[in-house]
Amino acid sequence: MESVILDWLNLVVRWTHVITGIAWIGSSFFFMWLDAHLEAPGPGKEGVEGELWMVHSGGFYEVNKFQAVPTAIPRTLHWFKWEAGFTGISGLILLAIVYYLGAEAFLIDTDVADLTRLQAVAIGVGTLVVGWFAYDGLFASRFGQQNMLIANTISVIVLCLVAVGLSQLFTGRAAYVHVGALVGIVMVINVFVRIIPAQRNLIAARNAGDEPDPTLGKRAKQRSVHNNYLTLPVVFIMISSHYPMTFGHPQGWFLLIAISISGALVRHWFNLRNASTLAIWPIPAAVVIFIAVAAWASLPTLQAERSAASAEAVSFSKVRSIVDARCIVCHAARPTYEGFDVAPKNIRFDAPAEVRKHAAAIKKTTVDTNTMPLGNVTEMTNEERQLLGGWIRAGANIELAK
Ligand code: HEC
């Protein structure tokens, strides 16, 4: 009962999160594009830095970008912040629904670290809170302002260490999502605490006839640049839960860092292109990193498959007993594991044909990676994983007589 309601709540919150996330990223991409395509203003346009014309859905639009805060601020001025705000709020609710209410299955893996639910949730929430204050403190400090390159380097290194650290404490998937949540939260709070206030300050100063404080503008710009480079990595992290070969890899943190770097490189290429620089190098660099890391991560699996190809066939009765012991508590028409009312993803192993049908997915989650059983709650052994692998490689035969 409870889990049925949670599933629906999960759906509506995730839906909201994706919609608001698209709106946020979409508007930020759009403004980047606008900035890059402005042309010198025509004659008679006082104070205009650039202009451009667009046509969309049968309507023609003219945009003027002003050099400074215009002398008369129009009564209706559109701000762009609620896309970010709702993405952040819905993301945190989703984090709580999936990983904190479902901590035993999704957050904690006692093979990784023997944490209680309270400890694990405290580490998760603590990472987000401490992470924001450390980041903001660094970049708000005189040191961070004066040594941007060093501060950027430090923050990237610390973020990598957070990824390594969390992977020693949580399930791979929860470690990934917490790194993504930290980055996402930093981006959202940047908008509300550093970027929007700087813009308000500009307007207030203009209204009062004062000169705006340039440090606020400079700081806001720095935070915008951070948000810009973090966008593609954070989107990768958010979709990574569909790919057990990433978060489920023994060095999943390394894949997270490397793929995020390739995302940031692609973003860098966008920025160069928007700045009308034709440099293309970030794209091949991103592709090389991505391919190298994909090859590095999958080679052992491919080798293991080849060397085990000739191993003795595993009987289905053996497989049946493993699945019954390790999977069926959740993956059955009527799961018995607490908090599961229906089989997750409708994957059920009640009948032999169903086990066979999901053989490829079983290999991905249970043999090539240890992402199933969730949090290894049923304490599956490596030997059992190898047996399942042998059975699948030999053709996933379900004839009991064999
Ligand atoms: C504690 C409950 C639990 C146990 C035990 C469990 N699973 Fe799962 N399984 C889940 C949940 C929950 C999901 C859905 C995960 C998600 O939302 O992405 C899932 C998803 C899957 C998927 C689909 C993965 C995908 O990415 O589409 C497969 C395949 C799978 N499980 C196989 C197994 C096998 C094989 C076992 C036993 C070795 C097992 N599971 C044990 C809870 C469990």
Side-chain angles (χ1 to χ4, degrees):
M1 163 67 183
E2 204 183 294
S3 92
V4 173
I5 296 171
L6 271 183
D7 279 350
W8 286 103
L9 192 63
N10 181 321
L11 168 61
V12 77
V13 176
R14 192 180 298 265
W15 198 8
T16 308
H17 187 58
V18 172
I19 293 167
T20 52
I22 291 172
W24 181 15
I25 295 172
S27 68
S28 90
F29 276 26
F30 178 64
F31 277 102
M32 297 277 308
W33 180 91
L34 267 188
D35 262 336
H37 289 81
L38 290 170
E39 289 173 8
K45 288 205 166 175
E46 272 305 296
V48 172
E49 179 186 321
E51 62 173 2
L52 69 81
W53 280 85
M54 295 173 289
V55 57
H56 190 260
S57 304
F60 290 82
Y61 302 79
E62 183 192 12
V63 174
N64 294 316
K65 182 180 179 181
F66 287 81
Q67 272 157 351
V69 187
T71 35
I73 306 280
R75 206 144 44 96
T76 316
L77 182 63
H78 298 283
W79 295 79
F80 292 82
K81 63 177 179 193
W82 286 113
E83 301 88 338
F86 284 119
T87 306
I89 292 167
S90 55
L92 288 178
I93 298 174
L94 196 57
L95 182 72
I97 293 175
V98 177
Y99 293 90
Y100 298 161
L101 288 180
E104 275 81 6
F106 284 98
L107 182 61
I108 301 166
D109 181 345
T110 48
D111 292 350
V112 177
D114 199 0
L115 300 174
T116 63
R117 173 193 265 224
L118 189 67
Q119 287 168 334
V121 173
I123 293 169
V125 175
T127 304
L128 303 186
V129 174
V130 175
W132 159 257
F133 282 107
Y135 164 82
D136 188 57
L138 174 63
F139 285 98
S141 71
R142 184 188 291 267
F143 173 82
Q145 291 294 309
Q146 288 172 352
N147 306 279
M148 258 186 228
L149 188 64
I150 301 178
N152 285 339
T153 312
I154 292 175
S155 59
V156 169
I157 292 174
V158 171
L159 188 61
C160 294
L161 292 177
V162 169
V164 177
L166 291 180
S167 71
Q168 315 301 314
L169 294 166
F170 292 160
T171 64
R173 190 172 146 172
Y176 267 51
V177 154
H178 277 84
V179 174
L182 172 57
V183 172
I185 278 301
V186 160
M187 292 170 70
V188 173
I189 307 183
N190 270 345
V191 170
F192 278 84
V193 174
R194 296 300 176 198
I195 298 171
I196 296 276
Q199 292 170 351
R200 285 202 193 289
N201 178 267
L202 287 177
I203 294 174
R206 168 62 72 209
N207 286 341
D210 298 338
E211 269 310 299
D213 176 359
T215 57
L216 282 174
K218 205 174 139 211
R219 192 180 291 171
K221 174 73 194 156
Q222 184 186 44
R223 302 301 173 99
S224 294
V225 171
H226 289 168
N227 280 12
N228 175 297
Y229 279 97
L230 293 171
T231 313
L232 299 194
V234 89
V235 172
F236 155 68
I237 298 174
M238 293 308 166
I239 60 172
S240 67
S241 59
H242 298 287
Y243 302 95
M245 77 267 190
T246 57
F247 65 84
H249 190 277
Q251 277 84 40
W253 56 267
F254 180 72
L255 291 165
L256 180 133
I257 294 168
I259 297 175
S260 295
I261 289 174
S262 70
L265 280 168
V266 171
R267 185 70 258 200
H268 188 55
W269 173 71
F270 273 107
N271 294 342
L272 291 178
R273 203 180 57 139
N274 285 350
S276 303
T277 312
L278 289 174
I280 183 88
W281 67 266
I283 293 292
V287 171
V288 167
I289 292 177
F290 191 89
I291 292 177
V293 80
W296 171 78
S298 44
L299 234 50
T301 314
L302 297 175
Q303 269 164 359
E305 269 167 29
R306 193 175 311 153
S307 64
S310 56
E312 209 180 314
V314 181
S315 73
F316 183 66
S317 57
K318 184 84 210 155
V319 168
R320 176 83 265 179
S321 68
I322 296 172
V323 169
D324 284 350
R326 309 301 184 196
C327 317
I328 211 94
V329 285
C330 298
H331 291 286
R334 297 188 155 274
T336 51
Y337 194 79
E338 206 198 315
F340 287 82
D341 294 336
V342 291
K345 293 206 162 171
N346 202 24
I347 294 182
R348 290 169 292 177
F349 298 135
D350 302 291
E354 286 170 321
V355 182
R356 183 189 161 86
K357 185 170 96 185
H358 296 296
I362 294 174
K363 179 170 172 297
K364 224 166 42 177
T365 52
T366 314
V367 183
D368 296 346
T369 64
N370 295 0
T371 53
M372 281 294 142
L374 265 196
N376 204 9
V377 291
T378 49
E379 298 177 350
M380 187 168 198
T381 65
N382 274 332
E383 196 198 343
E384 289 169 334
R385 294 181 193 280
Q386 293 319 312
L387 287 171
L388 286 188
W391 171 71
I392 294 165
R393 273 190 301 272
N397 206 317
I398 51 174
E399 308 288 310
L400 273 172
K402 268 198 99 179

